[in-house]
């Protein structure tokens, strides 16, 4: 886990002003800017200014400020882009191309073609399997 601004991190460079970006919101702790390769126009990234690799490395205070800003920016994205809704997501390590925790906010409209964000779904074979998995996860909480 890295919790200090990193010279290697492209998002830290955006935060310090060394890297170019189109910022839509900024406060003491968080920043939001346009994703340069948007799923749809208006797709924003929201992140803490403090470099933290993944969602699980955030402190409780950081989680709070990040989600408060994500809610604010998400509402603005929906209104500004005249979208019917939005998708909010965080990649952690797998599919995470920039290791500085960030929330994707993607404006969505019915029939926009994403069809549930490309997630293939599976099923549980039995209630016993569900119970075993429920207990396995609960052990770590
Ligand atoms: P992820 O794959 O979940 O880590 O998302 C990283 C996103 O960051 C991806 O959608 C593209 C975007 N991105 C990568 N480099 C830059 C950059 O230099 N500027 C901006 N604005 N977005 C970037």
């Amino acid at each position: 886990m890295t919790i200090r601004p990193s010279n290697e991190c492209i998002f830290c460079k955006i935060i310090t002003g060394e890297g170019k970006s189109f910022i839509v919101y900024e406060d003491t702790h968080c920043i939001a800017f346009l994703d340069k390769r948007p799923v749809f126009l208006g797709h924003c990234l929201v992140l803490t200014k403090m470099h933290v690799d993944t969602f699980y490395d955030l402190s409780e205070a950081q989680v709070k400020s990040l989600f408060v800003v994500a809610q604010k920016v998400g509402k603005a994205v929906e209104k500004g882009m005249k979208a019917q809704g939005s998708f909010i997501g965080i990649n952690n390590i797998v599919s995470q191309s920039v290791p500085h925790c960030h929330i994707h906010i993607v404006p969505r409209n019915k029939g926009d073609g994403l069809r549930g964000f490309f997630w293939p779904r599976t099923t549980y074979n039995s209630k016993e399997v569900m119970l075993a998995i429920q207990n396995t996860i609960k052990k770590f909480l």
Side-chain angles (χ1 to χ4, degrees):
M1 177 178 70
T2 312
I3 54 165
R4 299 191 184 286
S6 155
N7 290 335
E8 311 297 318
C9 174
I10 49 170
F11 287 174
C12 283
K13 288 200 166 86
I14 287 173
I15 289 158
T16 59
E18 201 187 321
K20 174 79 191 133
S21 72
F22 293 84
I23 296 168
V24 297
Y25 177 87
E26 188 170 9
D27 64 24
T28 318
H29 301 294
C30 296
I31 189 167
F33 49 82
L34 298 182
D35 189 306
K36 76 169 181 187
R37 293 190 60 237
V39 175
F40 295 117
L41 303 187
H43 176 170
C44 285
L45 303 173
V46 184
L47 44 144
T48 54
K49 289 184 170 177
M50 179 72 81
H51 184 104
V52 172
D53 290 359
T54 77
F55 175 69
Y56 304 111
D57 298 318
L58 293 166
S59 68
E60 279 190 31
Q62 287 172 321
V63 169
K64 187 176 175 193
S65 55
L66 187 62
F67 272 84
V68 166
V69 172
Q71 192 181 52
K72 205 179 284 198
V73 172
K75 285 178 184 171
V77 167
E78 287 190 0
K79 282 194 181 131
M81 301 311 293
K82 297 186 173 30
Q84 291 171 318
S86 55
F87 171 82
I88 293 178
I90 303 174
N91 287 316
N92 289 294
I93 301 178
V94 176
S95 293
Q96 184 181 6
S97 57
V98 181
H100 181 139
C101 175
H102 49 280
I103 303 181
H104 291 266
I105 296 180
V106 180
R108 297 287 319 265
N109 287 291
K110 285 184 184 141
D112 61 18
L114 280 194
R115 291 210 262 163
F117 223 68
F118 303 138
W119 283 334
R121 301 298 179 117
T122 187
T123 52
Y124 290 98
N125 287 335
S126 65
K127 287 212 169 102
E128 287 70 32
V129 173
M130 291 181 87
L131 194 62
I133 292 175
Q134 176 191 25
N135 287 328
T136 302
I137 294 170
K138 280 174 73 175
K139 269 189 219 152
F140 292 94
L141 289 169

